[in-house]
Amino acid sequence: MPHAALVLQAVGKAGMDSDFQCLSADAIQSKASISFILTTLPTFTLKPASPLPTRITDIPTIYPPWTTIPTTTPCPTVTSTVSVKVPVTVTVVQPTTFTTTATVTSVSVVTRTTEIIYTQSCSSTSTTKTTPTTTPTQSPPTTTTTPTQSPPTTTTTRTTPTTTTVPTTTKTPIETTTTKTPTTTTTDRPCETNYPPDWAGKNFTYKGVNIAGFEWGCLIDGSCTYPNSPPLTSTADGPGQMKWFVGNGMNTFRLPIGWQYATPSLGGAFDPSEWAQYDKLVQNCLAVNAYCIIDIHNYGKSIRRRLANVPALTDQFDQPIAHKARWNGQVIGQSSGVPDAPFIKLWQMIASYYVQQPRVIFGLMNEPYKLNIGVWAQTLQKVVTAIRAIAPRHVILLPGIEWAHADTFISSGSAAALDAISNPDGSKTNLIFDIHQWLDKANNGTDPNCVTDNIPVFEPLAQWLRCHNRTAFLSATGGGNEDGTNCNPLLCQQMQFLLANSDVFVGYTGWAAGSYDTSYILDETPTWYGYPWVDTPLVQSCLYWP
């Protein structure tokens, strides 16, 4: 159909009223400077015996940057039902939700990448129309969700409201990704209340425990001194424990190791003997068809409570000995002595070593603390980029600061900073947030007594994760086994909540089995009395899930 004599033109910015004026088509074409021209002309069906609507409120568009607005002519009064096809030159920011008071029946605006259908009923009944956007990307062949976000939209309703919500569907050459939230930005924003999908609550993707021992002996200053305690002995039978756990439904094991034990010199090669021993534990994990998390841990938790034949290594306050994101007292990437390069090289070596093992997961660092989150996120981005050049599809766990605690994940800035980390192709496939959370009063795992089920912590985090289409992995949690500690039922209640939100909390590993024994306050090591093994009370009650 030829251009009509009248043209609708949107003038206004997001959050402001937009005037639809009757203008000359020639005037519009001569004055407007636009970022793109719509390829499909919208159709307006006018209400009988009614004037063409003169104002439509709060359509959050960005108006074309013209310098002058042509002189308008009065809009005509329509005395009968007509359909007019007109060219519209607007730039549409999508997706969005908007409300209008127009008497237009429907307007279709089509851009190169999305179709936004705006529907306004002439009656008092509101209608909603949703359409997908298809955007090609590249990512590994796993099903994931693409984080999205857009600025908030202000909506003003003057008469009958109509709400249109436009979700986004991302498709890759190998996998299909469905998103239900707007496009991601690095600036965080409040999220609307959301709920888990129907399929959540049926199962975790990852479920298991830590098999500890290779990380023992690392101090809070970032130094590591032998002996450690590899769980490869008759009294600390890590391979046997993993077989038992898998037989009861677990499928994931986190295998901590101190950085200095893996590479005795900063930026150096693997220690042949130590790495061979550690790889033996990894291979036993793979042999039971489990997921195996390589965890650069550098962290001993209350080493005083080890096996009886291992020397104590606690500080003067009998607090957990810990080293997070440090090497001999120097913060990775935030001190002159330890730049990013040695840490990047470490993960390049690990990725190369396990590149043919897709069930190996890369846990970049245990519980970083007292770091600049912006700089730390830059360090992690470099590591992710280096790993992806070698192992493009392996799962990578990204830890935030403040001990990676779930309760400060958003407030510390970790959520927003880590959300900006991406794969080289721009996707965020298989980049999962690594979080910890304890149930004792100090929230540090040094007291066997549990005082909370952590639901007030995980509930807002679930909202944030779902809003941004991201996922998290709880790689350390636990409590005491004695009846008086109240950890059963509190840990069970925590895990039940995580299961109900398993669309965003994809898995867990309890802390800890391996070389720990019954003297350790958070012991999860099964006891061997001749087959079968006997689980600790808390593992038996709270850490086996469908």
Side-chain angles (χ1 to χ4, degrees):
M1 176 180 290
H3 286 176
L6 299 176
V7 176
L8 285 181
Q9 175 178 330
V11 181
K13 293 184 178 180
M16 300 174 61
D17 285 355
S18 299
D19 293 334
F20 273 63
Q21 301 174 342
C22 301
L23 303 173
S24 162
D26 294 337
I28 292 297
Q29 293 168 358
S30 64
K31 295 292 185 180
S33 172
I34 61 175
S35 59
F36 60 85
I37 297 176
L38 305 179
T39 59
T40 300
L41 300 182
T43 299
F44 296 83
T45 301
L46 306 182
K47 184 177 180 181
S50 172
L52 189 68
T54 57
R55 291 184 67 81
I56 295 181
T57 63
D58 296 297
I59 297 181
T61 62
I62 297 177
Y63 67 98
W66 47 65
T67 56
T68 61
I69 302 299
T71 303
T72 64
T73 58
C75 295
T77 298
V78 178
T79 58
S80 60
T81 302
V82 297
S83 293
V84 182
K85 286 193 174 182
V86 294
V88 176
T89 53
V90 295
T91 300
V92 179
V93 175
Q94 59 82 30
T96 185
T97 299
F98 54 83
T99 303
T100 177
T101 61
T103 56
V104 178
T105 299
S106 65
V107 179
S108 298
V109 180
V110 181
T111 71
R112 293 192 180 106
T113 60
T114 186
E115 182 178 15
I116 298 179
I117 302 296
Y118 151 70
T119 302
Q120 169 64 51
S121 174
C122 295
S123 66
S124 61
T125 303
S126 298
T127 58
T128 301
K129 175 73 174 181
T130 59
T131 57
T133 299
T134 301
T135 305
T137 61
Q138 294 180 353
S139 62
T142 53
T143 299
T144 183
T145 50
T146 303
T148 54
Q149 179 182 359
S150 68
T153 302
T154 303
T155 301
T156 303
T157 303
R158 303 204 177 174
T159 57
T160 305
T162 298
T163 302
T164 301
T165 304
V166 183
T168 310
T169 302
T170 303
K171 295 184 179 179
T172 70
I174 302 176
E175 67 183 74
T176 299
T177 300
T178 302
T179 63
K180 296 184 178 180
T181 53
T183 304
T184 299
T185 65
T186 57
T187 302
D188 207 3
R189 66 168 177 83
C191 294
E192 295 181 359
T193 301
N194 53 63
Y195 303 95
D198 292 340
W199 57 263
K202 293 181 172 60
N203 205 347
F204 289 107
T205 303
Y206 310 101
K207 44 197 176 181
V209 297
N210 284 260
I211 306 296
F214 272 101
E215 81 287 6
W216 285 9
C218 293
L219 305 179
I220 197 168
D221 65 352
S223 62
C224 293
T225 305
Y226 284 106
N228 58 2
S229 183
L232 294 170
T233 68
S234 58
T235 55
D237 182 6
Q241 293 173 27
M242 289 187 286
K243 288 180 182 178
W244 168 255
F245 287 132
V246 168
N248 285 275
M250 292 185 180
N251 67 356
T252 304
F253 301 103
R254 187 171 181 247
L255 312 175
I257 184 172
W259 185 357
Q260 285 89 337
Y261 299 148
T263 62
S265 61
L266 183 64
F270 289 133
D271 177 272
S273 176
E274 186 74 12
W275 191 255
Q277 284 288 95
Y278 180 74
D279 181 57
K280 181 178 179 180
L281 184 65
V282 175
Q283 296 303 325
N284 274 275
C285 175
L286 292 170
V288 294
N289 201 34
Y291 295 100
C292 312
I293 303 173
I294 310 299
D295 168 42
I296 300 303
H297 200 90
N298 290 42
Y299 173 44
K301 185 170 287 283
S302 294
I303 304 302
R304 176 178 63 82
R305 303 179 178 89
R306 302 167 177 241
L307 297 173
N309 64 340
V310 180
L313 289 171
T314 54
D315 63 17
Q316 66 268 36
F317 302 108
D318 193 29
Q319 293 299 309
I321 295 174
H323 143 53
K324 285 96 175 171
R326 286 163 170 77
W327 174 287
N328 295 336
Q330 307 254 357
V331 178
I332 301 167
Q334 301 183 31
S335 57
S336 58
V338 184
D340 291 331
F343 189 51
I344 295 170
K345 181 181 177 182
L346 169 68
W347 278 106
Q348 287 174 319
M349 293 192 301
I350 294 173
S352 298
Y353 202 92
Y354 294 110
V355 65
Q356 300 300 325
Q357 300 293 342
R359 298 181 75 85
V360 168
I361 295 172
F362 301 141
L364 299 188
M365 178 57 64
N366 177 69
E367 293 189 345
Y369 77 105
K370 292 184 179 179
L371 306 180
N372 180 305
I373 182 56
V375 178
W376 176 239
Q378 293 173 14
T379 296
L380 294 183
Q381 178 64 78
K382 295 174 186 177
V383 175
V384 167
T385 300
I387 290 175
R388 287 295 182 240
I390 301 165
R393 299 177 179 177
H394 283 61
V395 171
I396 299 175
L397 301 182
L398 305 176
I401 60 172
E402 304 304 328
W403 320 92
H405 281 181
D407 63 334
T408 57
F409 186 73
I410 298 173
S411 62
S412 69
S414 295
L418 300 186
D419 190 33
I421 297 175
S422 65
N423 296 312
D425 63 2
S427 71
K428 298 177 183 180
T429 303
N430 287 343
L431 300 180
I432 300 175
F433 299 138
D434 189 355
I435 57 174
H436 291 184
Q437 192 67 22
W438 306 99
L439 292 83
D440 57 336
K441 185 175 182 180
N443 185 25
N444 61 12
T446 59
D447 187 337
N449 297 292
C450 295
V451 298
T452 177
D453 59 13
N454 282 322
I455 292 176
V457 169
F458 289 115
E459 193 164 28
L461 182 54
Q463 293 282 314
W464 188 96
L465 292 168
R466 195 171 292 116
C467 176
H468 293 77
N469 259 0
R470 300 306 299 266
T471 55
F473 184 103
L474 182 64
S475 63
T477 192
N481 285 286
E482 290 76 17
D483 291 340
T485 64
N486 204 34
C487 295
N488 183 3
L490 290 178
L491 180 62
C492 295
Q493 292 167 1
Q494 169 186 289
M495 300 308 297
Q496 183 64 57
F497 179 84
L498 296 180
L499 178 63
N501 292 271
S502 58
D503 59 312
V504 290
F505 297 116
V506 294
Y508 65 90
T509 46
W511 184 268
S515 291
Y516 287 110
D517 66 5
T518 56
S519 65
Y520 176 46
I521 60 171
L522 305 183
D523 176 41
E524 295 178 355
T525 304
T527 304
W528 175 258
Y529 294 115
Y531 196 85
W533 297 65
V534 177
D535 281 310
T536 63
L538 205 60
V539 168
Q540 185 176 34
S541 298
C542 304
L543 290 183
Y544 287 122
W545 293 92

